[in-house]
Amino acid sequence: MVQGEMVGAHRWKVMIADDEAIIREGIRDAVDWANLNMEVVCEAEDGEEALEMGKAYEVDIALVDLNMPIMHGLRLIGHLRDNLPDCRIVIITGHDEFAYAQEAIRLGVQEYILKPASPGELAKVMMELGKQLDVAYKQSVHLRQASRQMARNITLFREKFGLEWMGGGLTGAEIMDQLEFLRLPLACPDWMGVIRWPEVTVNKPLLGEGERQLMLFAIENIAGEIIVADDKVIFRGHAGLIVVLIWGELAASIPQDIEAAVQAYLKLSVHTHFAMLDGNLAGVPAAYRECKSAVYKDSQISPVVRRLRQYVREEYHDPDLSLEGLAKLLQVSPVYLSRMVKQELGIPFVSLVTALRIEKAIQLLNSTDMPIHEIAGQVGYVTQHYFSTTFKKIVGVSPNQYRRGDAFSEQ
């Protein structure tokens, strides 16, 4: 309705709607419109014409007579309210009936003036409406400026919120309020990830702070491009860690894709760890600590074990996946590889494969209607029976019971 950013750079647009030309002329001549920063932009002699003109000119003030042909003044006011909710409306009429006054109040009419209106009374009303419009306009300017400023600082707001949340310093109600404020889904994220880049890189001196920040920023950008979820937050955590919160699905290859892309584009090695969350807002800080611990442990893992784990993540669906096959691929002995996996990951090779397969199975149970036998095949089990037996041993209930969600009491 108003284009300028400064009050006074425009004139408030006024419409006079009355079926008598002499009345319209009298109203137009009774007020020094320019002195009030106003301009009569249109006049109408019936309600239908007034509605069309009011919408066309997007008027700020409408002076309306009640007794007009084609469309009664009160009906016109109702339509103006629907189409121009910010328009100030003044009734100027010869009707002095309580029912009209009641309806006018219900429709949010600003003033109800009885004919004949004196020039002084009309000018006083217009001056007051001008002040109201000026105040409302200044407020809208401030709100637009605040909105633009918030949009520019949304990344900082999200980072501050993320740090407070990861630190366990927010209540459930505060978390929900912040999610709404930051235009994020009002639910617990489905995934959390932590990316760590060791400050001292191999064969390079310690980078300056400016270069370090630039590299971290580049890593964040790469992660943001690879993670295609519409609802995600990527922010800088403590000690240069990059934290990722994702609402929605996460492809199994994403962590490794990030590591590979950072290596390819920046010639840097990063460690990533992503974990599926359980829907509990209060449990997010604990999940963050677990992910953080995992990426620090990753830096102690030897290249051969990291490559094995990568192969397992990519080929878990292969029923022929075996320690012997991977040992041959990695050109080490099965005995050596088995010992290294147990020593560095804390679990045997079979447990590593089983844990990943069951994790993927749970994802499919939660997100699809796929039959159990198909899920078994998808995660590397030849038979449904073996899959169900293993699933129950790990989770405590069968896949069907887990999907129904009504059998955990049997544990």
Side-chain angles (χ1 to χ4, degrees):
M1 186 182 298
V2 178
Q3 302 300 320
E5 284 293 321
M6 296 296 294
V7 174
H10 61 273
R11 291 186 183 275
W12 300 116
K13 292 174 285 187
V14 179
M15 175 177 70
I16 301 173
D18 196 294
D19 62 332
E20 297 184 53
I22 192 170
I23 297 295
R24 297 197 303 272
E25 183 179 349
I27 293 173
R28 188 175 63 247
D29 295 341
V31 177
D32 185 354
W33 301 103
N35 188 51
L36 296 177
N37 197 34
M38 296 178 185
E39 178 185 4
V40 177
V41 294
C42 58
E43 297 180 17
E45 61 183 17
D46 64 64
E48 189 173 271
E49 183 183 35
L51 179 59
E52 291 177 1
M53 285 188 166
K55 292 193 294 183
Y57 284 93
E58 295 186 317
V59 296
D60 303 296
I61 300 174
L63 304 173
V64 177
D65 182 28
L66 291 183
N67 190 23
M68 286 190 296
I70 302 180
M71 183 187 295
H72 189 272
L74 287 177
R75 187 178 169 201
L76 165 63
I77 292 168
H79 286 305
L80 287 175
R81 272 282 162 263
D82 292 338
N83 290 276
L84 300 170
D86 296 326
C87 179
R88 265 58 175 178
I89 298 174
V90 177
I91 291 177
I92 302 179
T93 183
H95 292 279
D96 187 14
E97 296 185 19
F98 182 65
Y100 284 136
Q102 277 188 314
E103 182 66 8
I105 292 171
R106 187 186 72 79
L107 291 170
V109 171
Q110 272 65 39
E111 293 288 344
Y112 191 99
I113 301 175
L114 290 176
K115 295 178 180 178
S118 69
E121 180 183 11
L122 190 56
K124 182 179 178 181
V125 169
M126 291 299 104
M127 183 181 295
E128 179 59 32
L129 290 183
K131 290 178 180 177
Q132 292 178 19
L133 287 166
D134 286 345
V135 169
Y137 180 70
K138 288 178 182 177
Q139 183 181 51
S140 71
V141 169
H142 291 316
L143 289 175
R144 286 197 298 272
Q145 290 173 342
S147 180
R148 287 195 294 266
Q149 186 68 25
M150 194 187 89
R152 285 194 293 267
N153 293 331
I154 194 72
T155 301
L156 295 176
F157 288 139
R158 287 181 171 183
E159 181 169 317
K160 182 176 183 296
F161 164 58
L163 289 171
E164 290 179 347
W165 191 4
M166 298 309 106
L170 298 175
T171 65
E174 289 171 335
I175 293 168
M176 294 300 286
D177 286 344
Q178 288 288 333
L179 289 173
E180 182 176 15
F181 171 69
L182 296 171
R183 303 166 192 167
L184 294 168
L186 302 181
C188 181
D190 297 291
W191 289 88
M192 164 177 287
V194 172
I195 305 169
R196 178 175 179 257
W197 166 54
E199 287 186 338
V200 182
T201 56
V202 179
N203 298 325
K204 290 185 180 180
L206 185 65
L207 296 176
E209 183 60 21
E211 293 174 291
R212 194 176 77 92
Q213 292 299 326
L214 183 62
M215 289 298 184
L216 287 170
F217 183 71
I219 295 168
E220 287 181 44
N221 282 342
I222 289 172
E225 290 177 3
I226 291 175
I227 301 170
V228 295
D230 291 332
D231 294 310
K232 63 177 180 286
V233 175
I234 301 176
F235 63 92
R236 199 77 56 80
H238 298 291
L241 296 176
I242 296 169
V243 185
V244 182
L245 298 174
I246 301 168
W247 287 261
E249 292 300 312
L250 180 75
S253 64
I254 290 296
Q256 293 71 50
D257 290 345
I258 293 172
E259 293 183 9
V262 171
Q263 179 65 50
Y265 295 119
L266 303 179
K267 308 304 179 187
L268 300 175
S269 295
V270 295
H271 307 300
T272 64
H273 186 85
F274 282 74
M276 187 166 58
L277 303 179
D278 61 4
N280 178 19
L281 287 171
V284 171
Y288 168 65
R289 290 192 294 271
E290 291 177 9
C291 288
K292 183 170 67 170
S293 175
V295 292
Y296 277 101
K297 287 180 180 177
D298 270 3
S299 63
Q300 308 301 317
I301 297 175
S302 62
V304 68
V305 174
R306 285 179 62 82
R307 288 178 64 195
L308 173 137
R309 190 173 60 179
Q310 174 67 21
Y311 281 124
V312 171
R313 287 170 174 169
E314 293 175 354
E315 305 297 331
Y316 67 90
H317 50 80
D318 181 0
D320 295 324
L321 183 66
S322 67
L323 179 69
E324 290 72 17
L326 290 179
K328 184 177 181 180
L329 188 65
L330 296 169
Q331 298 181 331
V332 295
S333 75
V335 174
Y336 170 79
L337 189 57
S338 176
R339 184 173 69 250
M340 293 295 291
V341 169
K342 180 67 182 298
Q343 179 179 312
E344 296 186 13
L345 300 183
I347 55 174
F349 172 78
V350 172
S351 297
L352 173 66
V353 175
T354 300
L356 183 59
R357 285 174 170 171
I358 298 304
E359 178 185 332
K360 300 302 178 183
I362 288 173
Q363 291 176 27
L364 293 172
L365 288 167
N366 287 334
S367 62
T368 74
D369 295 324
M370 193 181 295
I372 302 301
H373 73 274
E374 288 188 18
I375 291 178
Q378 287 280 327
V379 298
Y381 289 94
V382 176
T383 69
Q384 178 179 336
H385 175 72
Y386 184 39
F387 165 64
S388 296
T389 301
T390 304
F391 189 97
K392 186 169 185 178
K393 182 179 179 181
I394 300 297
V395 180
V397 292
S398 71
N400 276 319
Q401 289 172 324
Y402 179 88
R403 173 171 274 172
R404 290 197 303 268
D406 59 358
F408 285 90
S409 59
E410 296 181 13
Q411 295 182 62

